[in-house]
Amino acid sequence: MKRKMREGNRYFTMLHYLLAAVVIFITVYPMYYVLILSLSEPIHAATMKVYIWPKGFNLSAYQVLVSDIKMWRAYANTILYVIPTTILMIVTSTLVAYGLNYRKLVGRKFLTMFLLIPMYFTGGIIPSFLLIVKLGLYDNPLSQILPASFSIWNIILVKAYFRTIPDSLTEAAKMDGAGMYQILTKIFVPLGKPIFAVLAVYTIVGTWNSWFNAMLYLPHTQWQPLQMYLRRILVETNQNASQVMDAAAAMEFARRQLSNAQLKYAMIIFTTLPVLCTYPFFQKYFVKGMVLGSLKE
């Protein structure tokens, strides 16, 4: 008699473990591959013929990064953008969502629709660039903070999460004499930690990986973030081999190209680690916030 695949069945469990192992491998191995390339000798890193273990253990790329002042300046710029952007994102999303969650708010449906329209239809790059210039934010670090501190999608997430908080708590607080501000700070904010964690993770990862706005609005390297520095290493260090004129210059060009290949992989690891280390601190609230914040009204 054919046994049914059901929960608790040994074969069912084995199949789940096998699928989980495949998913873990597909997710983790690319990052591991870049890591072992960054730790291999430059010649092996350039040919990319490294699959399981580093070939010729070499830390020269990391030594170059640690001693690079420009890289640390870009690192500091990124942290400067991540922290205030994350705080402002949580504050703006909470305040707007709290207001839209108030049932007696005049024009609440109109305001909600007014916010939804720009989420699907935007002006484009040129109007955004002109707006940044007119506001005096061009070549200004605030151009990386203020535009990224407001998200309609995040407002919708917070609003949906606030709808899951029982109205009885709000009514009880009103009976005790609490005003709108007290209800926000004493009830919604403490109970909103899971959705705030979701917003924090989204904002931190998005801001940390952002480089396009910096390319548009920050022409000088003084305020450019880490991802722009990485882009210069990955793209702008490429040289045309036809420019090499003599044998000595050709050998120096080849050596530099090998070193650049290893340096690219080391830079990817160096710029990704902070984000990877951040997630475990928010994981406790992240799953709960994603589930509750996705409920429909």
Side-chain angles (χ1 to χ4, degrees), residues 35-213:
L35 175 62
I36 60 178
L37 283 174
S38 68
L39 296 175
S40 301
E41 289 289 345
I43 188 172
H44 298 298
T47 58
M48 301 182 67
K49 293 183 179 180
V50 182
Y51 304 104
I52 300 178
W53 306 107
K55 290 185 177 180
F57 188 78
N58 190 302
L59 293 175
S60 59
Y62 291 97
Q63 293 174 353
V64 172
L65 289 177
V66 171
S67 59
D68 190 349
I69 299 178
K70 294 182 179 179
M71 191 276 298
W72 286 114
R73 176 60 188 264
Y75 226 105
N77 290 339
T78 300
I79 295 175
L80 177 65
Y81 302 146
V82 167
I83 295 177
T85 301
T86 303
I87 296 174
L88 289 174
M89 178 65 74
I90 294 175
V91 171
T92 56
S93 300
T94 301
L95 293 177
V96 177
Y98 179 67
L100 294 176
N101 194 55
Y102 185 60
R103 297 181 184 276
K104 296 181 180 181
L105 178 66
V106 178
R108 184 165 69 101
K109 292 184 178 180
F110 172 77
L111 291 175
T112 303
M113 185 61 64
F114 183 78
L115 288 175
L116 288 176
I117 293 176
M119 192 170 70
Y120 297 101
F121 304 98
T122 61
I125 296 177
I126 295 178
S128 300
F129 181 83
L130 294 177
L131 177 62
I132 293 296
V133 173
K134 291 295 183 181
L135 292 175
L137 298 179
Y138 185 72
D139 200 14
N140 189 314
L142 290 177
S143 65
Q144 306 303 303
I145 299 175
L146 296 181
S149 300
F150 185 87
S151 171
I152 299 173
W153 172 249
N154 289 340
I155 291 173
I156 294 174
L157 281 180
V158 178
K159 182 176 179 290
Y161 183 86
F162 282 173
R163 294 289 294 168
T164 64
I165 298 177
D167 293 336
S168 58
L169 292 176
T170 304
E171 296 299 328
K174 289 181 179 179
M175 293 179 63
D176 291 337
M180 298 298 296
Y181 176 76
Q182 286 76 16
I183 293 174
L184 172 63
T185 57
K186 302 296 183 181
I187 296 178
F188 283 87
V189 172
L191 294 179
K193 290 180 181 179
I195 198 64
F196 297 156
V198 175
L199 264 60
V201 172
Y202 283 167
T203 308
I204 290 172
V205 174
T207 307
W208 191 272
N209 294 329
S210 176
W211 62 271
F212 187 71
N213 286 342

Side-chain angles (χ1 to χ4, degrees), residues 209-234:
N209 294 329
S210 176
W211 62 271
F212 187 71
N213 286 342
M215 184 180 67
L216 292 178
Y217 307 138
L218 297 176
H220 300 98
T221 59
Q222 180 183 4
W223 292 108
Q224 288 181 352
L226 188 61
Q227 296 303 325
M228 277 297 294
Y229 182 84
L230 174 61
R231 181 182 180 274
R232 289 200 300 272
I233 291 180
L234 295 178

Side-chain angles (χ1 to χ4, degrees), residues 247-268:
M251 293 182 61
E252 177 62 21
F253 169 77
R255 186 193 65 79
R256 194 185 311 114
Q257 289 296 97
L258 292 177
S259 300
N260 286 341
Q262 187 192 27
L263 186 62
K264 293 175 184 178
Y265 302 122
M267 188 66 186
I268 293 173

